[in-house]
Structure formats: C-alpha cells, structure tokens
Amino acid sequence: MNPLFQHIEFLTGAHTLSQAPPDAGLEVAFAGRSNAGKSRAINVITGINSLARVSKTPGRTQQINFFALDATRRLVDLPGYGYAKVPEKMKRHWLQTLEQYLQMRQSLQGLILVMDIRHPLMPADLQMLDWCHGAQMPVHILLTKADKLSKGAASASLAKARKMLSERYGKMDAAIPTVAQTLQVFSALARQGIDGAEQRLGEWLDIKPK
C-alpha cells in the first residue's frame, strides 16, 4: 500500500449531491468513460486492489463514492460516462449531477480524468473538459492502457492529445487554472505513470511525500 493512502477507507456513496459529505476540506475526483480503466487506475495508484469496484460490465458505478484519507482529505470516484448501457433517464441524472459537482463543490481541488490512450478526447471527454474549463477546475489527464500500444504509438497519441487540447483551450500553462494543464501516459497493468499521478494528487491534497 502506498504510504500516502495507508489510512484510506470508504466514507459514503451519494446518488445526489445532497447525500455527499460536508463540503469542507480537500478532495480530488476521478472521472472517465465507463470503459477507460478508471477503477483500475484508482486501485493501482492507491495500492489497494479492491478500493474501487472493477466490473466486466462498464457503467456499474452508479453513485459518487467518497473515500476518506483522513478527517480533511478525500478521494472521489465519479460515475463513468459515455458508454454505460443504462436507461437514458439515468444517464441524464449522472450528467446533471457531474456538472453540478464540478461547478459547485468548493472542496474539489482538481480532477483526474481517465481516457483510453487509443481513443482519447471523445465527445463526452470534451464535454467534461468544457465543464472544468468553465468552473476553472484544474485537470490532470491519464491516458490509460498504454500497454496496448508500442512506446512510439503511445508517444504519438500523447502528442496528438496535447495538440488537440492546446487548439481547443489555448496554450497549456500552469498559470492558467481553466486549462487541462497536464497529461501523461499511464498503464495500470504495467504500473506505468504511477509516480506522476501520485505527485499531482499530493500537490492538490497538500500531502508531503514521506
């Protein structure tokens, strides 16, 4: 288990924001398409294999799950989007809740956005980024499943995604919090990119490495 997350535990699940923990302290949320590998990324980064539920059926996470690191810090697993075979009414509820969470949650310090490196920046991903842009929410993108590509192909996909983000939101600059500032290659299976994700989480949650 990573020392940063040695005391992490499930806090609560919320179907609506009214069921969420008090909006105080610091939290970082994970979001992504339902088949992008979000749950596996959370488990590998925290070092707890069963923390986030991994399902063979994408879209099974149907609530916002809060995990407490301590009394003031939390990780948040948001419902997957864009793929789940669920009723349209449920999809609309998820999207409305996600938008409200991103725009209204004062304790939210940043979003880890998970995308399949073979299919990055799909329309639903761009919608999520647009919400974050409007809410001035920093985003760190994990291009997951990098083990599915050669090193050269993964680098090319990273460069293409960086170019697309720059064209859509302007030059990526750490001084501009409304832009998806950083992105990296990641693989849960190959345990690639964990350090970069941990560093971003530590910065947002004000956790000093031991």
Side-chain angles (χ1 to χ4, degrees):
M1 183 186 301
N2 188 305
L4 291 175
F5 310 108
Q6 60 184 343
H7 300 301
I8 192 170
E9 60 181 8
F10 178 74
L11 183 61
T12 189
H15 189 65
T16 64
L17 285 187
S18 63
Q19 299 171 339
D23 192 0
L26 304 174
E27 61 190 33
V28 173
F30 285 76
R33 288 173 58 84
S34 298
N35 57 343
K38 173 172 59 71
S39 295
R40 293 189 188 278
I42 293 173
N43 292 343
V44 167
I45 291 169
T46 60
I48 306 174
N49 291 332
S50 59
L51 187 66
R53 180 179 179 183
V54 177
S55 173
K56 293 182 179 179
T57 305
R60 285 291 179 87
T61 302
Q62 299 185 11
Q63 60 183 6
I64 303 175
N65 290 320
F66 292 84
F67 300 91
L69 278 69
D70 54 32
T72 62
R73 297 177 178 89
R74 297 174 296 276
L75 293 184
V76 184
D77 184 10
L78 298 175
Y81 57 82
Y83 182 85
K85 295 179 180 179
V86 298
E88 194 63 33
K89 182 178 180 180
M90 178 66 73
K91 288 185 180 181
R92 289 197 301 270
H93 168 74
W94 287 357
L95 289 176
Q96 291 171 358
T97 302
L98 287 172
E99 184 175 16
Q100 291 173 359
Y101 175 77
L102 292 172
Q103 294 182 348
M104 299 174 60
R105 191 74 173 173
Q106 296 299 308
S107 54
L108 181 61
Q109 303 301 301
L111 182 76
I112 302 290
L113 186 55
V114 179
M115 303 180 194
D116 188 325
I117 194 169
R118 299 166 298 177
H119 313 288
L121 299 170
M122 300 291 282
D125 298 323
L126 293 174
Q127 183 178 22
M128 180 68 70
L129 286 168
D130 287 346
W131 287 341
C132 291
H133 186 88
Q136 298 188 2
M137 177 60 56
V139 178
H140 183 67
I141 296 173
L142 300 184
L143 296 178
T144 62
K145 304 186 181 182
D147 54 278
K148 303 292 186 181
L149 299 178
S150 67
K151 185 176 180 180
S155 296
S157 182
L158 176 67
K160 182 179 179 180
R162 194 183 302 277
K163 184 175 184 293
M164 290 177 65
L165 288 169
S166 178
E167 292 174 348
R168 189 177 183 91
Y169 301 108
K171 183 178 180 181
M172 285 186 288
D173 189 328
I176 306 175
T178 59
V179 173
Q181 298 172 11
T182 54
L183 64 164
Q184 65 167 98
V185 172
F186 187 90
S187 169
L189 182 63
R191 302 186 64 82
Q192 177 184 2
I194 296 175
D195 289 347
E198 287 178 348
Q199 180 180 351
R200 184 62 60 196
L201 285 169
E203 292 171 357
W204 284 341
L205 294 171
D206 194 26
I207 298 174
K208 303 297 187 294
K210 295 183 179 179

